Amino acid sequence: MSNMMNDVKRHYDLLIDEGNDPVHDPAPLRAYMDGWDGQCLLDALALDRSQDVLEIGVGTGRLALRTAPLCRSLTGIDLSEKTIIRAGENLAGLTNVHLVCADFMTWDTAQRFDAVYSSLTFLHLPDKRRAAEKVAGLLRPGGRAVLSLDKSRSAVLDYGTRQLTVYPDDPAALSAHLRGAGLTVLPVQETEFAHIVTAVREEEG
């Protein structure tokens, strides 16, 4: 694992140590987080119970609690072991959830998915083209990718006691990478704090 991703892993491990778990946030803070995804992301996914879904950066399960009941299976991947353990506790009541602790960019799986989504995860990935190609390669024909991209252009997340370098996303540039990976990009949607980029792998034949 690169030093950069080790820093990301350490940061999210520390958030768990510090008691940070968005699943248990009070209602006003949960509503605030919906400003990045929420119903807009769920609508873009257009899930049904026949589908297998991947969440990149599942965190402690904030979004998975809403998406898992809408699909056949949900795989959640995250870099932080402590975060995955907490997600397992939060999602224990959902029998269709499978959690993986791994670096998405080096994760090797033969499985393909009907939908792949993430929220506030691509900002940790410096190689946007390769990330787009990775997402595209995980989609089945007819599958869709839905990515919530933070509108912030800051290259640093400031947590007071520490700072974390990030790589801001440009929706037009990422859309171009997704098209280059063979996907059809739908019109970009906006939430209060994010751009929602949706791309579809066309059916074969």
Side-chain angles (χ1 to χ4, degrees):
M1 188 183 299
S2 69
N3 289 337
M4 175 196 68
M5 296 313 291
N6 269 322
D7 288 343
V8 175
K9 174 187 178 299
R10 188 178 307 112
H11 168 70
Y12 284 99
D13 281 346
L14 282 170
L15 287 182
I16 296 299
D17 292 342
E18 293 161 358
N20 186 305
D21 183 353
V23 167
H24 300 288
D25 282 343
L29 191 49
R30 292 200 303 273
Y32 173 73
M33 290 302 298
D34 282 350
W36 278 276
D37 38 59
Q39 194 61 46
C40 184
L41 183 140
L42 292 175
D43 290 345
L45 281 167
L47 297 176
D48 66 52
R49 292 301 302 273
S50 71
Q51 294 177 317
D52 301 309
V53 178
L54 171 67
E55 180 176 357
I56 306 164
V58 68
T60 63
R62 178 179 66 90
L63 285 173
L65 282 168
R66 300 171 72 174
T67 55
L70 304 177
C71 61
R72 176 169 58 191
S73 74
L74 175 75
T75 299
I77 184 170
D78 204 281
L79 192 65
S80 160
E81 291 133 347
K82 292 183 179 181
T83 301
I84 283 289
I85 290 169
R86 180 61 57 82
E89 296 167 356
N90 290 336
L91 302 169
L94 295 164
T95 59
N96 65 334
V97 173
H98 172 61
L99 298 174
V100 178
C101 185
D103 180 346
F104 170 70
M105 294 301 294
T106 58
W107 181 47
D108 186 22
T109 178
Q111 187 173 2
R112 295 298 176 263
F113 300 90
D114 302 293
V116 176
Y117 73 93
S118 75
S119 180
L120 304 179
T121 301
F122 263 53
L123 55 80
H124 296 302
L125 306 177
D127 191 339
K128 310 297 183 180
R129 180 188 59 78
R130 194 162 70 88
E133 291 171 350
K134 178 92 175 191
V135 168
L138 289 168
L139 287 175
R140 291 173 179 153
R144 62 175 50 203
V146 180
L147 309 171
S148 173
L149 310 178
D150 194 347
K151 288 181 178 178
S152 171
R153 304 302 296 165
S154 174
V156 174
L157 290 180
D158 191 340
Y159 284 82
T161 58
R162 63 184 179 277
Q163 293 184 329
L164 184 67
T165 298
V166 293
Y167 305 89
D169 290 292
D170 177 81
L174 185 59
S175 294
H177 291 318
L178 291 165
R179 282 191 290 269
L183 304 185
T184 298
V185 179
L186 304 184
V188 175
Q189 298 175 279
E190 278 193 65
T191 66
E192 185 175 1
F193 304 125
H195 294 99
I196 305 291
V197 176
T198 302
V200 178
R201 177 173 290 288
E202 299 299 331
E203 297 279 3
E204 294 178 344

